[in-house]
Structure formats: structure tokens, C-alpha cells
Amino acid sequence: MKRRSLMAAAVAAACSGLLAQAPAQAQDKPIRIGVPTAVQLQVGRDTQEAIQMAIEDINAKGGVLGRKLEMVVADETEKPEAGINAIKKLTAEEKVDVMIGGYTSGVTLAQLPHIARAKTIYLGVGAASPAITQRVKKDYDEYKYIFRVGPIHAGHQARQVSGFITDFVVGELGRKKVAIVGENAKWVQDLVPILKKSASEGGADVRFTELFDTQTSDFSPLFSKVRDSGAEFMVVILSHASSDVFAKQWHDSQMPMPYGGIDVKSMDGDFCERIGGKSVSEFAANFAVRAPITPRTEAFFDEFHKRTKRSSVYTGFFANDSVYLYAEAVKKAGTTDPEKVIPQLEKTSYVGVAGLIEFDEMHDVKAGGKHPNLLFAQWRQDCGREVIFPKAIRTAEPIMPPWLKK
């Protein structure tokens, strides 16, 4: 009996010791941030670099709940199949606590069921289709894990490009006749009908619209149609197509009109230089450049440039914001349990690089006013950029292509 009592006491002591170790072991385990992104593109490189910037900053201050943060990357390329495999790798194999990333709307839409099935929080920073967060509204219990930190969705972008056309192209430049061209991709299909309608209602004379294949390498037939339409300004909406080739051919053919719009590759900090300055005078939409947009904007761009010698594209600064707002939600929840973190994320009010990050009932980032917006920056002769629109934050006066008179 005495021996059994001693053994029982020993077992109890051992169990007590294991229980005491459990919280310490949990604290030692890092919080893992999965990053599904197109790693070969600048959107992917900037996503990773910006997340690492935030991780190093937070870890230097003690981490989150006493735990360090670490990053795990999976290449989703621009293909749905690869994107699905990236989600499976991060959730099933790497067992990440949260995912921050994304780029292509078609890929993200294919990933959604797999994200929901894994019950892992996903903070999107690249894809713009409204259909992504509409899933949250249609089936909250299934898709509540999905949030879009950026960019503002395609519908908001269409309305803000329309404002650029109405207030700047028509209102300031006096160029009422416009053509709208874009790549044949899901997000553009969502955007162009809204854009055409709202621009027309705003006083623009939309002479021509056309969507072209993303693999197009010769834009001369398209440019001929635009010329024949009598357009005085060409609005472009493209991301996956070759912006480099488009800009070069626009320059070399000396199109009799300026152009601008949403040109994702033209958001790259080295875009002008890598095509030999042939984008000079293009008005390229962005969500932030180095300008006093929020208290975080210039500091972020300066630190990012210090680390990389380049200027971040939009996925970078939205990814950087995502790490901080997720960390804040985890602190408030006192755990990384998604069921407890999600209600805290829904209450997010975080001053980010491009504006105040708050979510609507669909977990979509709010747009307009103090929230993120499109701004239009123009490439200049020195391959620098100046903010042209909105006029309230303009940093220089607009210029025309060198072969056109004012």
C-alpha cells in the first residue's frame, strides 16, 4: 500500500509538472504567418519583405503574448491549381496561425473553399474582385475567416477611376472623349461596366471600350481602333498583361493622346527605368506613394527603400498593415484561436499606410474619405512620381507626353 501511494504521488507530481510546462511551451512556440503569394513577381517580393519588416519590429518589442512571429511562404504563382496547393501546404503541413497574401482574383476565388475548410484566418492584400468577400455575406459561418485588408474592391476602384475621368481628365484637361481598354480578367470584367456607366453619367463621352487577351504582345491593332474612335484620352485597366510592352508601344507609336488608369505593373518603383523612360507622363493609379497620406505613409516607404532599394507596390504596404492589425487582434483576444480573434478583427480601426483600415459587414476594407482610396501619380522625366489626383494631395502640376502640345 505504501509503495502504491508513493507511485501515485510520483505520477501526480509528474502530471503536475507537465501541466506547468504547457503554458511555457505554448509561449515558446512562434505564431506562424503563412504567406501565399506570387513569389516571382514584385507584388510577391514586396509582400514578403513588408511582412518581414513588421515581424522584426514586433519581435524586437517582445512579440505577441510573449511569442515571436515567423513567416512561412508558399508560391501560388498566378494559377488556381498552384494557389490551392499553396493553401493546403500552409494549413495542413505548416499549420500556420494566419495567412496574409494573395494577388490574382481568380486564384483567390479558387482558394476560398480550402481556406474555409481549414478554418484559418486569411487577410487578403492583392485581389480586388467583390465576389471574394461576398462569400462572407452569403455564408458567414463558412467564410468568416476571409478578410480583405486591401486593395479596395473593383467596384470602389471603378467609381474612383470615374472620379478621375470626370474631375481631372474632363474637368481639368478638357479631354471629354475617352476610350476604355483593359485585359480580359475577372476583376476587369467586374470593373469596366461600372466604370463606363459612371464616367458617362459624369460627363465623359466614352467613344470606345474593349477587353484584350492577357497574352497580347502587339497592341497596334488596338491602338488603331482607339485613334479611329476620336478619343482624346485612353483609360487603361490592366494587371496581368504586359504593361511594359503597352507603354513602350504607346510611346513609340506616339499615340495622339495621354493615357492612364489602373496599371498594376506600372505601380512598380522601377517601372519607368526598366522601359527606358517610355512611361513618362502616364497617370498610374496607386493606393499610396511616398506622400503625407497618413502618419505611417512616408515612414513606411523610407524604411522599405532602406531595406530593398525600391519602392513598395500596394501588396507590400497592405501586408505590412495586416501583420500589425492581426497582432493587435490576437493581443485583445488573448489567444490565436480564430474563433476568438475574428470578433476582434471585425472591430479593427487601424491607421495604415494608405488610410484607416476598417472592415464592413462582409469583412471588406472600407473605402473613401479617411479610408484607403485610389490616387493617381504621374511618371516624370527623371522617372520619379508626383501625385496629380486627388488635387487635395497634389505634389506637382501635370505634364503631357513630349510629342503633344499642351
Side-chain angles (χ1 to χ4, degrees), residues 40-283:
Q40 299 302 317
L41 302 179
Q42 187 168 339
V43 289
R45 294 193 295 272
D46 288 3
T47 296
Q48 295 172 72
E49 193 66 50
I51 288 174
Q52 189 60 38
M53 273 175 58
I55 286 175
E56 291 175 9
D57 180 43
I58 292 170
N59 285 348
K61 296 173 182 174
V64 179
L65 303 180
R67 298 167 63 184
K68 298 293 187 182
L69 307 180
E70 71 175 26
M71 178 172 66
V72 185
V73 180
D75 189 4
E76 68 177 27
T77 68
E78 295 181 88
K79 304 290 185 182
E81 299 81 6
I84 291 168
N85 289 336
I87 297 299
K88 289 179 177 179
K89 174 188 174 183
L90 292 171
T91 57
E93 296 177 26
E94 300 291 351
K95 301 190 183 305
V96 298
D97 296 287
V98 63
M99 290 180 287
I100 299 172
Y103 169 45
T104 305
S105 290
V107 172
T108 302
L109 286 165
Q111 292 169 328
L112 294 183
H114 303 276
I115 296 168
R117 196 172 300 128
K119 300 184 185 300
T120 303
I121 292 170
Y122 174 90
L123 304 177
V125 300
S129 174
I132 294 167
T133 52
Q134 285 170 358
R135 298 280 185 93
V136 179
K137 185 175 183 179
K138 290 178 181 177
D139 190 346
Y140 177 85
D141 289 338
E142 182 76 7
Y143 290 101
K144 63 186 176 183
Y145 307 94
I146 313 300
F147 290 79
R148 177 169 25 223
V149 178
I152 60 174
H153 72 58
H156 291 314
Q157 291 186 41
R159 285 181 281 275
Q160 294 192 7
V161 174
S162 175
F164 168 74
I165 296 170
T166 301
D167 297 340
F168 177 71
V169 176
V170 177
E172 283 198 58
L173 298 185
R175 293 172 177 262
K176 186 176 180 180
K177 302 170 186 176
V178 302
I180 301 173
V181 300
E183 65 188 15
N184 194 13
K186 169 61 178 169
W187 73 284
V188 184
Q189 295 164 7
D190 291 336
L191 188 153
V192 167
I194 302 171
L195 176 59
K196 181 179 179 181
K197 182 175 183 293
S198 56
S200 298
E201 290 173 349
D205 178 5
V206 181
R207 291 295 187 92
F208 176 79
T209 60
E210 184 164 298
L211 301 185
F212 51 83
D213 189 88
T214 57
Q215 301 303 312
T216 300
S217 59
D218 180 6
F219 292 98
S220 55
L222 177 69
F223 289 164
S224 292
K225 293 177 185 178
V226 172
R227 281 195 199 93
D228 292 344
S229 75
E232 301 166 315
F233 190 96
M234 182 167 57
V235 179
V236 298
I237 311 292
L238 58 128
S239 172
H240 310 291
S242 179
S243 300
D244 299 44
V245 174
F246 190 99
K248 287 177 181 177
Q249 293 182 3
W250 165 80
H251 175 279
D252 292 346
S253 63
Q254 297 203 348
M255 284 287 282
M257 69 201 69
Y259 87 104
I262 301 174
D263 182 353
V264 174
K265 300 290 173 42
S266 188
M267 294 179 181
D268 293 356
D270 66 347
F271 179 74
C272 180
E273 292 178 346
R274 75 178 182 235
I275 63 171
K278 293 185 176 183
S279 65
V280 169
S281 82
E282 179 197 4
F283 301 95

Side-chain angles (χ1 to χ4, degrees), residues 300-312:
F300 169 81
F301 276 92
D302 288 347
E303 178 62 24
F304 191 91
H305 188 268
K306 181 179 176 182
R307 292 172 64 102
T308 67
K309 306 304 179 190
R310 64 178 185 267
S311 181
S312 174

